Amino acid sequence: MRIAVVGGGPGGLYFAALAKQLGPDHDITVWERNAADDTFGFGVVFSDETLGGIEHADPVVHGLMEKEFAIWDDIDVHYRGDVITSGGHAFAAMGRKRLLEILQNRCHDLGVDVRFSTDAPDATELKDDYDLVIAADGLNSAIRTAYADHFEPTLDTRKCRYMWLGTDKVFEAFTFDVRETPHGVMQMHGYPFDEHGSTFIVEMTDEVWRRAGFEGNDQGTFAPGESDEQSIETVRELFADALDGHEVLANNSRWISFTTVRNEHWVHDNIVLLGDAAHTAHFSIGSGTKLAMEDALSLVACLHETDTVAGALAAYEVERKAVVLSTQRAAQASLEWFENIEQYVHQEPAQFAFNLLTRSRRITYDNLRLRDPEFIAGVDAWFAEHELRAGRGDGGVRPPMFQPFQIGDLDVVNRVVVSPMDQYVSVDGMPADFHLVHLGGKALGGAGLVMTEMVCVSPEGRITPGCTGLWTDEQGDGWRRICDFVHAASAAKIGAQIGHSGPKGSTKLMWEGIDQPLESGNWPVVAASETAYQPGVNQTPRALDRHDMDAIVADFVAAARRADDAGFDLIELHCAHGYLLSSFLSPVTNQRTDEYGGDLAGRLRFPLEVFAAMRAELAAHKPMTVRISATDWVEGGISLDDTLAMSRAFEEAGAAAIDVSTGQVTAREKPAFGRSYQTPFADSIRNSLGISTIAVGVISSADDVNTIVLAGRADLCALGRVHLYDPNWTLHAAVEQDYDGDGAVWPDPWRAGRRKPQTGRADEARPRLELIRANGAVDGHRRWRPGAGR
């Protein structure tokens, strides 16, 4: 083939070298507009996986790279005068300039035509004249722009400013230095890349950047390659102690706003995107060079294994897109953490460090325990002491999920909540034997708090004919039977979630067609406005008038009274998921022009009236929580500022905690679905406002719960489907963590089953957390100290 490679960075050069090795007859030309010795940036960090792939694909390149590596294990977090160290992370880095020299020389030796200081021909010309065109032309890819209608790129420019710098100080570890300055929080990311220097990145939010006066230095008048020396001098002063007298080095160093690049398609005919032209991921989670070289390896392998160019490019896109999307999800979580770093500076150093290390959700409590058991032991001990200071627990060290908590005046033995899950098996709203077994079984299974499904306040407030209710005293008696069992047989507390279906009522049972309207026996539905959940499918609701509102408030109050009489320990008001009260809160569904619509204060008015009336009906010691949808996942929906204001309003009205869900307000939603995907909203409420929160949404493991609680992202975690899979999930999680205590209470008749059943022997491969080392030696706390020998 004749192959054109536009861009002579590491990704383009590595592709050319690999492709030439596998096909010596290929005619490969690389165009690079910069000179051979031009390079921007300082060091490049690689992972085990990437280096393993490079080693097998091209031992010559790997061998030359290996001679240059700075290798270390530790991450140091500098915060409030303390240095918290976590080991076992296994980093390898080298100078970017040296990496380019290795790849340039390799291409030369293999006969690749590399043309430096030369602009590539027009994309259309390349497309017509070559069998394959590799667009490795970076973040501002001209080829991607030329064919934007085909690639469908999105460029998301974020709200932090950062600057790439270097220093002749050789850091011994990956270093995060987070400091509160008179202008706000700034952070430094630093790591060594050879025996003589380190990469040094300074980052801060746009607001802090402006307050620090950097905006005045950035006039957009710098010549190519020129650095912002005025800002660099200020950085030198701000981080003088971290630099310890060493110099700050510049290389085209200016303030940048990070841009996340995504493309709906990576291939157009015989043109394929590679590296930053296809995708970017925030530098705090990984190297763009690493991703580009992985792209190159994958693309060459697909070309080698597939009969046609079209088939190879399709296979490459499928293979790499999934990996990149996963990386970008982690990078998005990481960059958002740094964008919101000011909400965490109240945390003590041990928690702050754990929070920082687990910010992307890729590194977790269990993962850190495997990498550095001493680090986790120290953070667990800190958390136990912290909880004792807060008046919770006895100071005993245990997994974080088994530390007790207080919701208002209600004590719960651990941080696990059985999330409300509609069962759709009720007849005329009556809780039955199924509900006794379902909820009683979850209580026996060790959860600290078991929540009912949404219990409806009236027949017309049901979602389906199978929903439970609290509109009669007979129903209250049925719930009392369940509450009595939970209290007598377990250490769990039980809560009632009370709500009204609003516009999403009169639908079929879930397994008959979720959110689909009943074909017979239906009832009229109501909402804040005449906005159907699925226009043309669901009923158009009638907008409530004042008389309707008064009647519904009375229904909620009566249901709260019956729940209290039945013995529930906690009452939760359902204001989420597009049901009646949610339809008032969301601007998507509330189109009213009276005092119950318009701005957030108007949209909050009726839900707050309902909450206040219920709160007044209950004894002061009986806690109430509120479930909200923190975002509608559509443009024009609830904003984060709205969510924070709603949470504060409910807290001031007497809510003991906010149960933070999202969406289900409109069928047009496009949620960013993934593991723990709703937790960041609970995190923002808790750490911005100091309000207790319950996180919910694809929290699937004890590791997730421990990570969320210990990082301070939420106080409790609500889990649904895992409890359907394993009703004894909490007890089994305790056994898996070798915990036996009052945070996981086994019923006396079950204690004989506390040990895991014996199984056949299954030897497992040891996790590969370290780089390939000489003689297989592993040291979980290696530091980069070149003067002491490699």
Side-chain angles (χ1 to χ4, degrees), residues 193-458:
F193 60 79
D194 63 18
E195 298 182 359
H196 308 291
S198 302
T199 295
F200 175 65
I201 307 166
V202 175
E203 184 183 28
M204 65 201 73
T205 65
D206 285 347
E207 185 178 352
V208 173
W209 177 78
R210 292 188 183 93
R211 285 201 298 260
F214 290 123
E215 185 176 22
N217 305 336
D218 186 8
Q219 301 301 323
T221 57
F222 298 112
E226 184 182 2
S227 296
D228 182 352
E229 295 295 345
Q230 190 173 350
S231 290
I232 292 169
E233 180 58 34
T234 303
V235 167
R236 187 180 285 113
E237 295 169 1
L238 286 167
F239 287 89
D241 57 331
L243 294 167
D244 195 24
H246 289 268
E247 188 52 74
V248 176
L249 308 175
N251 180 356
N252 196 37
S253 300
R254 309 169 192 169
W255 293 111
I256 307 168
S257 296
F258 187 82
T259 300
T260 300
V261 174
R262 300 178 179 89
N263 284 275
E264 187 67 26
H265 307 287
W266 292 15
V267 175
H268 170 54
D269 294 337
N270 62 338
I271 301 176
V272 61
L273 302 178
L274 185 147
D276 283 357
H279 50 73
T280 58
H282 192 252
F283 56 83
S284 64
I285 203 65
S287 161
T289 297
K290 164 192 173 299
L291 288 172
M293 293 181 72
E294 290 174 348
D295 284 353
L297 197 158
S298 170
L299 179 55
V300 172
C302 290
L303 287 164
H304 187 64
E305 296 164 357
T306 310
D307 292 336
T308 66
V309 170
L313 298 187
Y316 159 75
E317 180 170 350
V318 169
E319 178 179 301
R320 284 300 294 163
K321 204 170 189 180
V323 175
V324 167
L325 286 174
S326 175
T327 301
Q328 287 187 315
R329 281 194 295 269
Q332 187 75 11
S334 181
L335 76 84
E336 288 177 1
W337 193 91
F338 283 110
E339 287 177 343
N340 297 304
I341 195 169
E342 293 214 21
Q343 71 185 26
Y344 303 118
V345 293
H346 67 280
Q347 292 184 331
E348 296 179 30
Q351 185 173 47
F352 182 88
F354 179 84
N355 192 357
L356 186 153
L357 291 170
T358 59
R359 66 194 181 278
S360 74
R361 302 175 219 159
R362 280 193 162 183
I363 294 178
T364 64
Y365 177 87
D366 281 354
N367 186 264
L368 286 170
R369 183 169 56 182
L370 184 64
R371 294 168 186 261
D372 189 348
E374 294 83 5
F375 171 75
I376 285 298
V379 183
D380 279 347
W382 168 83
F383 190 56
E385 189 268 337
H386 174 271
E387 293 303 285
L388 182 63
R389 279 188 276 129
R392 300 184 288 263
D394 57 7
V397 178
R398 60 185 77 180
M401 66 182 289
F402 296 114
Q403 290 287 354
F405 190 69
Q406 286 180 312
I407 310 171
D409 292 334
L410 180 68
D411 294 322
V412 291
V413 298
N414 59 49
R415 306 305 182 94
V416 179
V417 179
V418 176
S419 195
M421 292 176 283
D422 290 316
Q423 300 300 296
Y424 307 111
V425 294
S426 177
V427 177
D428 296 328
M430 278 296 297
D433 289 348
F434 185 95
H435 299 91
L436 173 65
V437 174
H438 165 62
L439 297 170
K442 306 304 181 294
L444 292 173
L449 174 64
V450 177
M451 293 297 300
T452 68
E453 61 194 83
M454 186 175 86
V455 180
C456 304
V457 298
S458 65

Side-chain angles (χ1 to χ4, degrees), residues 519-539:
E519 295 171 3
S520 62
N522 59 323
W523 56 87
V525 299
V526 295
S529 302
E530 295 180 356
T531 304
Y533 176 64
Q534 300 176 96
V537 177
N538 297 107
Q539 287 185 53

Side-chain angles (χ1 to χ4, degrees), residues 766-790:
R766 187 173 177 177
R768 184 168 174 262
L769 288 175
E770 66 275 358
L771 299 165
I772 299 168
R773 294 167 174 43
N775 303 320
V778 176
D779 177 2
H781 279 289
R782 289 182 310 168
R783 314 281 285 182
W784 176 239
R785 292 170 177 153
R790 297 181 69 82

Side-chain angles (χ1 to χ4, degrees), residues 23-194:
D25 294 334
H26 292 324
D27 177 4
I28 304 176
T29 304
V30 179
W31 283 270
E32 172 52 53
R33 65 180 182 177
N34 294 307
D37 57 354
D38 286 346
T39 184
F40 305 113
F42 295 90
V44 179
V45 181
F46 293 96
S47 67
D48 284 5
E49 185 179 7
T50 305
L51 291 177
I54 292 172
E55 180 181 24
H56 289 96
D58 190 338
V60 174
V61 167
H62 182 271
L64 292 170
M65 290 173 62
E66 192 174 35
K67 293 177 182 178
E68 308 293 332
F69 285 150
I71 296 177
W72 72 97
D73 292 300
D74 283 354
I75 296 176
D76 289 346
V77 179
H78 295 247
Y79 174 67
R80 288 191 183 177
D82 286 355
V83 180
I84 309 294
T85 298
S86 171
H89 295 275
F91 295 101
M94 65 183 297
R96 180 178 169 84
K97 185 172 183 177
R98 179 60 184 136
L99 174 63
L100 284 170
E101 290 173 353
I102 290 170
L103 294 173
Q104 289 167 4
N105 292 336
R106 185 64 170 148
C107 285
H108 177 270
D109 293 344
L110 291 166
V112 175
D113 180 7
V114 183
R115 302 178 184 181
F116 293 105
S117 302
T118 305
D119 288 330
D122 179 77
T124 304
E125 181 182 339
L126 291 174
K127 183 175 182 294
D128 293 340
D129 292 349
Y130 286 81
D131 300 302
L132 178 62
V133 180
I134 310 298
D137 51 343
L139 171 68
N140 299 310
S141 169
I143 294 179
R144 186 189 66 221
T145 300
Y147 293 100
D149 289 348
H150 298 280
F151 293 120
E152 298 182 46
T154 58
L155 279 68
D156 178 16
T157 301
R158 303 302 303 183
K159 59 183 181 181
C160 276
R161 302 291 177 118
Y162 68 99
M163 182 184 288
W164 287 96
L165 296 162
T167 175
D168 58 0
K169 176 184 173 77
V170 180
F171 292 116
E172 295 183 357
F174 203 115
T175 301
F176 292 100
D177 189 314
V178 180
R179 54 188 57 199
E180 297 175 78
T181 74
H183 317 293
V185 180
M186 300 181 184
Q187 62 267 10
M188 180 268 286
H189 313 240
Y191 58 86
F193 60 79
D194 63 18

